[in-house]
Amino acid sequence: MREPLERDSEIAHIREALDAATRGEGRVVVIEGRAGIGKTRLVHECRELAKQRGFGRLQAVGDALESAMAWGVVRQMVERSVSRYSGEIREKILAGPSGAALKALDDAALDPSEAELARTLHSLWWVAVDLSSTRPLLITVDDAHWADLSSLQFLVYLSRRIADLPIALVVATRPADNSGPLAQLSVSADRLLPRPLTTEALEELVDGHPEVVKALHAASGGNPFLTEVLVDELKALGLPLEAAETATKIGGLGPSTVFRATLGRLPANAVALAGAIAVLGSHADPWQAAALADVDDLPNAVEALTAANVIVTGEYLEFVHPVVREAVLTGLGPIARASLHAKAAKALWEAHAPADRVAAHLVHAPKGTLPSAAEVLRKAASQLLAAGDPHTAAAHLQRAVDERPNDAALRAELGRALLRTGDAVKAHHHLKAAAAGLPDAELVAAAASATAVLEGPQAAIEELTEAIAARPGGESRLHLEARLAVFRSFLPDRRQTASAHLSTYANLAGSTPDERTLLGLLAQMGRYEVWPHDEVRATATRALANGAYFDDATGSIDAMVAWLVALLALMAADGVDVARREIERARLKVRAHGSPVEFAMVTNASQFLNWRCGNMQIVEAEAEGALAAIAHEDPVAQVIGLRATSTHFAVYAALERGDVEAAQTVMDRFDLEDPALMMPTIWLHEVRGLIALARGNASRALEEAYRQRDAMAAVQVDPPTIPWRGVAVRALLQLGEPAAELAAEQLGIARKWGAATEVGAALRLSAHARADARLELLTESVSVLEASPSRLELARSLVDLGEALRVARRRSDAREQLHRAIDLAGECGSAVLRARAVEALEALGDRPRRQLVVGAESLTASERRVADLAAAGRANREIAQELFVTPKTVENHLGRIYTKLGIAGRRDLSRVLA
């Protein structure tokens, strides 16, 4: 087959994309154009070129009917790769990536939670990684404008993570809106826009008189497919292409006229079969189509349609082009289409076809088509919700409610689906109606969620308060109390009311999800309002309930945020042992089946834990890992919060290494995104101030400290764990201004909180501001910090105490403190602090052993983590899965590691790292 005419530029782009994929540099190509312009031909050409290069190939074609079926296009890709095999070969394929993909889709259908979609996308991405691990992979999707939403979301997910994979993704679509997955896909793609053929190209395509060719060009607009349709019709009418007078006949032959004429010349059974194929959609089973059309002589009908160039045959019956199918559907009319859809739904239901396939026809069929229509639609809607398509799910549920208008539970499901679409008005209507029919606390709470979207948290609070007053005690009421507490947490000016409300639940055991929600909010409140830390620690421990709170949360990203906040409260209260067990348990679950966002949440908790304990190398590795994992996620509030927290800890770690430029780079990278204001972004003023202090810009540091103070005052919080006063005091002292009063404030807040870490740090801060009591305050700081989990805070106080003792001419005591500080600072990974301690010792005449950055110590934090996992025997793929990066990233890390360590490969890692 010759190359398509006037498509040299497009084919060159496709060749370059395939060549790049061969080099391990993934590419996305979007071919966009109107129907018949030649997109499918370019896709076919791409597949042929990939076949010549030895690519693995997955393909799918979007279909208008299947657009309502969850994961339809993805399933099509996988099932096509399996269907042509049988026996041992088929079993072997299903034991590999293809089977993993089908399992991921089956598992997703069982869990309609929002979080499951993210996990499924990540699982499918790993299938693509595995399929491309032995040879480059081409994935093509034709007619993507008809692809189901969940599959399009996967294509977007893959396109954002394709850069270092040997994968070419080629998508053909008609012009799309400026929003939605197809628009997102185009952002990272090489976008090809095939132009209409010129008259010169048509002369080469059509062997006819120049006037005929000119008329064909005018009638078709240079559209290759429509040109062929017109040529076929001229031949059927007996009009010679070589005769100039034929040109005058072409003007009245529009495409719709041609299709009607084509079908009009066919026998009735062939026309009926065409209608059935059009209704059934792509991949129509011949016998099913014949039954639907009441065609007795299937072979003759198929032969007639094939001869007329209406369909192509194979395992399935398919139209030669979607334009032909659209014309057939238009010709049927609405009543005939609805009747055929009804027959198809009944036949599929009797054949025990999947619910989503039956539902795809039910929504186009008259009401009452099936007695079980509502249940079929409900099941299909559940699968669509799991696949992240609440709009189609809501449409299915609306139709189900039309079938059974008095079913309150069904109306409740519709309301919840509408909430996920953002249509709070309709959601509120259905949820309120459902709650009246089913006095269920969860429905009342869901209705309040819709109220909050429509009228704000205050209106939802009033609605819930009224509902609670009308209910006796028990679990039902407690559910509403928990939801009320959540809404109150959104209103800073209602903090005292919320605090008083939550305090009544301080003695809950944490034995139910609602109890754990209330306790988690209470722990957060206690941290922000500076309650005694031991009370907060006990409350947070009960909320976490040995992993039960995490299990409650795994269906919702918002709920996971609540889990994370409770865990942070526990660690801020020095409950590090319980927190460590909680994090490891969560890490194992996320590693087994989690999404990048869930990974980042657990990693954020681990960053806080290791920062609290002073393990700065681990902090840096985990901050880098979390930022890498969510680098391509949509910037929703939760993702922004995770990036802010990881940025915070990455800056801490860089400053401890003494790399101010790296700290500034990390901070600048976050600030470029223009993030929304929220708690994690408020805390970033502290690290901006620390960077300014490291640069010697005390005025800028003070400005950042005061910005944090003002932002915290606006939401009525003042936790001691991220102290703006610490930056302010150091800045004031550099400026020669008095700072003792501000330092005393911080010490007062820390003593109120009571955790050894904050009290010890605040004592050290006061020592800086009060020269008259420096030695006494630093001695007390060290004493207090001995009971703290924070070795880094202890090392800081030891260095300050050693310097103070040296000034006081207590040389022997100073040496003891400084030697210990050097050891601790080295263990914590603080090169800056260790250098200070070494300098102080040298001022005493000692010459401590210098740290040489050689061998394993020359590795970055992320490299050391990869090296440790490799030395433990993990394969590259296992390391990549654990760290939520690509195998190529691991490979690149290992290459740098081997070079730095001067070794040939992983066999020598254990020896060098020991």
Side-chain angles (χ1 to χ4, degrees), residues 425-502:
V425 175
K426 289 182 180 177
H428 190 259
H429 167 74
H430 288 291
L431 288 167
K432 292 287 279 187
L438 280 175
D440 182 272
E442 190 176 339
L443 287 179
V444 174
S449 295
T451 300
V453 174
L454 287 172
E455 304 173 43
Q458 184 56 49
I461 288 168
E462 291 170 4
E463 189 174 308
L464 283 170
T465 302
E466 184 179 335
I468 289 168
R471 285 174 182 263
E475 285 191 17
S476 173
R477 176 169 176 151
L478 195 65
H479 183 74
L480 298 181
E481 295 277 11
R483 181 56 54 182
L484 175 61
V486 170
F487 285 127
R488 278 184 170 149
S489 69
F490 295 145
L491 299 174
D493 61 332
R494 300 296 298 273
R495 188 170 297 282
Q496 288 185 342
T497 303
S499 180
H501 173 229
L502 283 169

Side-chain angles (χ1 to χ4, degrees), residues 556-575:
S556 163
I557 298 300
D558 285 337
M560 275 199 72
V561 171
W563 167 81
L564 178 58
V565 167
L567 191 55
L568 294 177
L570 174 66
M571 292 185 286
D574 281 348

Side-chain angles (χ1 to χ4, degrees), residues 279 292 333-346 364-366 369:
V279 165
L292 189 63
I335 294 176
R337 284 201 304 272
S339 176
L340 284 171
H341 278 299
K343 288 180 68 176
K346 289 177 182 176
H364 299 293
T369 294

Side-chain angles (χ1 to χ4, degrees), residues 336 364 517 519:
H364 299 293
T517 296
L519 288 169

